[in-house]
Amino acid sequence: MASRAVALAQSPWRSLVLLGLGLALMIAVSPQASAQAGEQVTPSVSQNIMQQKWVSDDSNLISTMVLVTLDPGASLPPHRHAGPAYVKVATGEVISQLEGGEEERFGPGDEWREPEGVRHVQLVNASDDTPAELIVVMIHTRGDPLTRVE
């Protein structure tokens, strides 16, 4: 048996086996997979950094592009960004409200700007059955957190 394990570890199939095990584990622990019939599943929000670049050679500022995915019905807690944020809706619809501003609904192709330090009091996926994806570009000082949840 030990020689079979060594052979598998050295074979080209090793990567495929490990990938399959990893996917099976992700599915097994995902909220949707672990929910029992009738059990409420909390919608999630994911953030994936797509790109980071220096704004200029003589600056400590970085531009970070993030893909934010909101599951149907998901929302973000109130938060602030370390610098200005530029947001474009790629898919779905969201309801957004900055502190002191009106609640607004945005769909695919719509965009808005969040000034540095302004509190984002509401960001909700407006759909109960379709995810929403936002492309967010933030300008911030290297080392500062992108977002502070309040």
Side-chain angles (χ1 to χ4, degrees):
M1 182 71 171
S3 63
R4 276 182 97 179
V6 170
L8 179 61
Q10 295 172 347
S11 78
W13 292 100
R14 179 178 178 263
S15 296
L16 288 175
V17 168
L18 291 174
L19 177 63
L21 289 171
L23 289 173
L25 180 61
M26 285 173 39
I27 291 169
V29 299
S30 74
Q32 285 78 9
S34 64
Q36 302 298 319
E39 182 180 340
Q40 180 119 11
V41 175
T42 303
S44 69
V45 176
S46 65
Q47 298 182 37
N48 180 25
I49 293 179
M50 299 167 59
Q51 182 179 36
Q52 282 191 316
K53 290 190 173 200
W54 292 104
V55 172
S56 68
D57 291 338
D58 60 346
S59 170
N60 203 24
L61 294 177
I62 296 177
S63 167
T64 300
M65 182 184 298
V66 180
L67 176 64
V68 177
T69 305
L70 293 96
D71 281 350
S75 64
L76 286 174
H79 62 277
R80 296 176 199 265
H81 298 293
Y86 303 88
V87 184
K88 183 169 188 119
V89 178
T91 63
E93 290 190 353
V94 296
I95 297 169
S96 177
Q97 183 178 9
L98 300 177
E99 191 166 67
E102 297 291 320
E103 184 178 282
E104 298 180 77
R105 188 181 193 105
F106 296 97
D110 291 339
E111 52 191 50
W112 71 89
R113 179 182 183 276
E114 297 178 27
E116 177 178 352
V118 170
R119 189 169 187 243
H120 198 165
V121 295
Q122 178 179 212
L123 182 61
V124 180
N125 183 338
S127 173
D128 291 330
D129 59 8
T130 305
E133 291 183 319
L134 309 174
I135 298 171
V136 183
V137 176
M138 292 176 265
I139 309 298
H140 58 97
T141 303
R142 181 182 176 102
D144 284 351
L146 296 175
T147 304
R148 289 188 333 262
V149 175
E150 300 180 340

